[in-house]
Amino acid sequence: QPPLALQSTASDVAFQDTMTSTAILAALSLPDIDISKLTRLSADVSGDSTDCQPTQTDPLATFPLKDSPELASKVLDAIGLAYLASGHLVEAEHFVTEALDLRLKFFGAGHPEVASSLNSLARVLRDGGRLDEAVKKVREAMDINSKVVGADSLPVAADIAVLSSIQFQRSKLAD
């Protein structure tokens, strides 16, 4: 019988997506957060992606949750995943990286929240075709999750799912 991590069902993955959606909705419903301050970009409407750079180097500078790094990192990661889902990879990478940096400062390198951000970053890198970098990040996440929550855990199953999707993408490119 395969390890519990490999027995993950579609409902487990759907649960994670639901949790991400819930975090996004929670972020958008917080009355003190002006999401436009976080997402304002210098690219014009014409779609010139060469100028697509965040206007702030530190989105937490005006972020009302800056005194709550745990919640702020969840919101930043969720915004990054929302951008990923809509195909905006530059913005997705920016917000997911901000969440990862904040989680590294707040929790330390071996924490499951850091692993979650590494998993998110691996997904962004995968979708951007940066497969070697994506594999490295998801393996880091899997290592943390295996040590902290166990090899038969849902977070490790999520890491395996991302790693599998990267390997599938590699095999499609090889064909």
Side-chain angles (χ1 to χ4, degrees):
Q1 180 171 354
L4 181 60
L6 296 178
Q7 297 175 16
S8 177
T9 64
S11 64
D12 293 333
V13 175
F15 172 76
Q16 254 194 330
D17 289 342
T18 301
M19 293 305 292
T20 299
S21 299
T22 302
I24 293 168
L25 291 174
L28 295 175
S29 67
L30 291 171
D32 295 338
I33 296 177
D34 181 0
I35 296 298
S36 66
K37 287 182 182 177
L38 294 174
T39 59
R40 190 174 303 123
L41 302 172
S42 60
D44 62 15
V45 179
S46 69
D48 181 8
S49 63
T50 59
D51 291 337
C52 191
Q53 304 269 337
T55 56
Q56 293 177 238
T57 56
D58 181 11
L60 293 180
T62 59
F63 197 51
L65 297 176
K66 65 184 174 188
D67 294 328
S68 179
E70 185 175 12
L71 182 55
S73 66
K74 284 184 184 298
V75 171
L76 290 169
D77 196 71
I79 291 169
L81 292 176
Y83 273 121
L84 175 63
S86 64
H88 294 92
L89 299 179
V90 172
E91 298 86 352
E93 185 173 356
H94 174 75
F95 284 102
V96 167
T97 300
E98 288 291 331
L100 175 59
D101 292 345
L102 187 57
R103 285 174 169 170
L104 282 167
K105 287 179 199 170
F106 185 71
F107 294 114
H111 195 276
E113 289 294 325
V114 171
S116 177
S117 282
L118 287 167
N119 183 297
S120 296
L121 183 55
R123 292 167 56 192
V124 172
L125 295 169
R126 174 202 62 203
D127 287 7
R130 295 158 56 190
L131 303 180
D132 291 337
E133 293 174 74
V135 166
K136 182 181 176 202
K137 297 302 179 190
V138 77
R139 287 190 187 278
E140 286 180 51
M142 197 179 321
D143 184 50
I144 292 168
N145 284 325
S146 293
K147 288 177 184 173
V148 178
V149 294
D152 292 341
S153 65
L154 183 58
V156 171
D159 296 333
I160 290 170
V162 172
L163 183 59
S164 296
S165 69
I166 295 166
Q167 299 300 2
F168 178 73
Q169 192 166 348
R170 276 186 171 164
S171 70
K172 284 184 2 181
L173 291 174
D175 291 343

